[in-house]
Amino acid sequence: MFDTLSERLSGTLANLRGKGRLSEADIDATAREIRIALLEADVALPVVRGFVARTKERAKGAEVSGALNPAQQVVKIVNEELVSVLGGETRRLRFSKEPPTVIMLAGLQGSGKTTLAGKLAFWLKSQGHTPLLVACDLQRPNAVTQLQIVGERAGATVFAPHPGASAAGHQTQPGSAERNGVGDPVDVARRGVAHARDKMYDVVVVDTAGRLGVDEELMRQAADIRDAVRPDETLFVVDAMIGQDAVATAEAFRDGVGFTGVVLTKLDGDARGGAALSVREVTGQPILFASDGEKLENFDVFHPDRMASRILG
Ligand code: GDP
């Protein structure tokens, strides 16, 4: 990911090296190249415009100081602007002072929510937490079973609807293979959280249903679950490979359900990076985690500064 962007930006910035001072024309030319690099990486147009305008303004206004030559100064500005667009400071997951902390996952079908639930549980366990996964995706055939499989891999317990029962819920230990049952996802979510409270799980991860596209019923169901369990964090899970569409989808979820953070999945795909670079600025919500593969370990806290360094090489 970011290969083309990285290559282009590094090339552009390398061209400035060796120049004693930068003329306005040098800065304009650099700004144009940065613009093209960002557009090619599928970054949303308003984000590109803001990024280029700020970089240009800062480069033109930069004092020539003793420590950095003009080219280094531009590199520094681009780096700082990348960090800022990616969210600035690392935003950590917020835990409730009164456990359990409730984390709800929302996103389109196929965005990687269920896979992420397992990764998140695995990560939470590595941080000393005792997570409970709650299976509220009762729409997609086998979603409950899939969550039980990832839960088992992560060594986390899954709370799933009772097969065939509409409002019952019960927990399945890692290793059990319950069949999907029809139930009310709002009720399952509520019971899952109550179960966590009873059994002293300190974090609840609620997996919700997604559709292939944004639709009203999906939003209503997610909003109903949100109202029922009042999550401490609602994480919007988005497949980085969908590029520009990530922004429109994020806006729809922000308006329909609301979320407190973003998780980027499939960063290992041949994504050009546009989603990562756009979603923070467009939605105003931070990226909390990044996921880049199918293994449980392919997951980490998102660090804007490290990502910016990766882009600039
Ligand atoms: P859900 O419908 O949102 O629950 O999505 P799933 O968790 O079922 O994921 C959809 C597909 O994407 C599955 O085939 C996953 O194995 C795959 N997947 C999920 N996360 C990643 C990732 O970070 N990288 C890659 N390459 N594939 C992923």
Side-chain angles (χ1 to χ4, degrees), residues 114-223:
T114 307
T115 308
L116 172 77
K119 291 178 173 183
L120 191 55
F122 187 72
W123 179 84
L124 284 163
K125 286 187 68 176
S126 77
Q127 305 289 307
H129 295 283
T130 46
L132 177 70
L133 299 177
V134 178
C136 294
D137 180 354
L138 311 184
Q139 223 79 37
R140 185 161 58 89
N142 295 326
V144 174
T145 310
Q146 192 195 337
L147 189 69
Q148 285 166 326
I149 292 167
V150 299
E152 181 188 346
R153 261 189 225 135
T157 304
V158 175
F159 184 91
H162 197 282
S166 63
H170 72 291
Q171 99 188 54
T172 62
Q173 291 297 340
S176 78
E178 293 293 333
R179 285 172 52 77
N180 191 0
V182 180
D184 170 10
V186 177
D187 200 65
V188 174
R190 201 181 282 124
R191 284 164 176 268
V193 174
H195 182 80
R197 196 168 286 123
D198 279 357
K199 303 288 181 194
M200 311 289 276
Y201 291 94
D202 73 337
V203 185
V204 184
V205 178
V206 179
D207 187 23
T208 66
R211 300 282 194 286
L212 288 173
V214 173
D215 76 23
E216 266 180 42
E217 200 196 330
L218 159 75
M219 291 297 175
R220 207 173 321 115
Q221 187 185 92

Side-chain angles (χ1 to χ4, degrees), residues 18-236:
K19 294 206 186 229
R21 57 179 290 279
L22 299 184
S23 64
E24 286 227 355
D26 288 330
I27 293 175
D28 288 343
T30 305
R32 263 196 306 278
E33 285 181 40
I34 293 174
R35 182 186 157 83
I36 293 167
L38 293 172
L39 287 173
E40 278 186 354
D42 244 354
V43 181
L45 190 56
V47 178
V48 175
R49 285 203 182 116
F51 189 99
V52 173
R54 285 190 303 271
T55 304
K56 204 153 109 174
E57 194 180 321
R58 289 185 59 192
K60 284 185 178 169
E63 300 265 322
V64 179
S65 71
L68 298 178
N69 67 35
Q72 288 168 328
Q73 226 152 20
V74 175
V75 173
K76 182 166 174 280
I77 292 167
V78 171
N79 181 59
E80 286 170 2
E81 288 298 332
L82 279 173
V83 174
S84 157
V85 114
L86 290 165
E89 295 281 301
T90 301
R91 158 70 152 78
R92 306 269 170 190
L93 196 64
R94 285 187 297 236
F95 292 94
S96 170
K97 288 197 187 73
E98 289 172 41
T101 296
V102 178
I103 303 170
M104 174 172 140
L105 307 180
L108 296 181
Q109 184 175 319
S111 59
K113 282 187 302 305
T114 307
T115 308
L116 172 77
K119 291 178 173 183
L120 191 55
F122 187 72
W123 179 84
L124 284 163
K125 286 187 68 176
S126 77
Q127 305 289 307
H129 295 283
T130 46
L132 177 70
L133 299 177
V134 178
C136 294
D137 180 354
L138 311 184
Q139 223 79 37
R140 185 161 58 89
N142 295 326
V144 174
T145 310
Q146 192 195 337
L147 189 69
Q148 285 166 326
I149 292 167
V150 299
E152 181 188 346
R153 261 189 225 135
T157 304
V158 175
F159 184 91
H162 197 282
S166 63
H170 72 291
Q171 99 188 54
T172 62
Q173 291 297 340
S176 78
E178 293 293 333
R179 285 172 52 77
N180 191 0
V182 180
D184 170 10
V186 177
D187 200 65
V188 174
R190 201 181 282 124
R191 284 164 176 268
V193 174
H195 182 80
R197 196 168 286 123
D198 279 357
K199 303 288 181 194
M200 311 289 276
Y201 291 94
D202 73 337
V203 185
V204 184
V205 178
V206 179
D207 187 23
T208 66
R211 300 282 194 286
L212 288 173
V214 173
D215 76 23
E216 266 180 42
E217 200 196 330
L218 159 75
M219 291 297 175
R220 207 173 321 115
Q221 187 185 92
D224 287 347
I225 294 175
R226 176 202 64 201
D227 293 345
V229 300
R230 279 180 275 125
D232 299 285
E233 297 272 19
T234 303
L235 302 182
F236 168 64

Side-chain angles (χ1 to χ4, degrees), residues 247-263:
V247 170
T249 312
E251 285 176 323
F253 273 84
R254 179 195 59 195
D255 299 342
V257 190
F259 54 84
T260 56
V262 177
V263 181

Side-chain angles (χ1 to χ4, degrees), residues 227-291:
D227 293 345
V229 300
R230 279 180 275 125
D232 299 285
E233 297 272 19
T234 303
L235 302 182
F236 168 64
V237 181
V238 62
D239 175 345
M241 290 204 277
I242 68 174
Q244 287 275 355
D245 284 348
V247 170
T249 312
E251 285 176 323
F253 273 84
R254 179 195 59 195
D255 299 342
V257 190
F259 54 84
T260 56
V262 177
V263 181
L264 292 171
T265 64
K266 310 193 196 179
L267 286 181
D268 53 315
D270 65 343
R272 287 169 280 185
L277 278 164
S278 310
V279 93
R280 165 72 178 85
E281 190 148 311
V282 171
T283 67
Q285 295 300 341
I287 302 166
L288 266 64
F289 295 102
S291 167

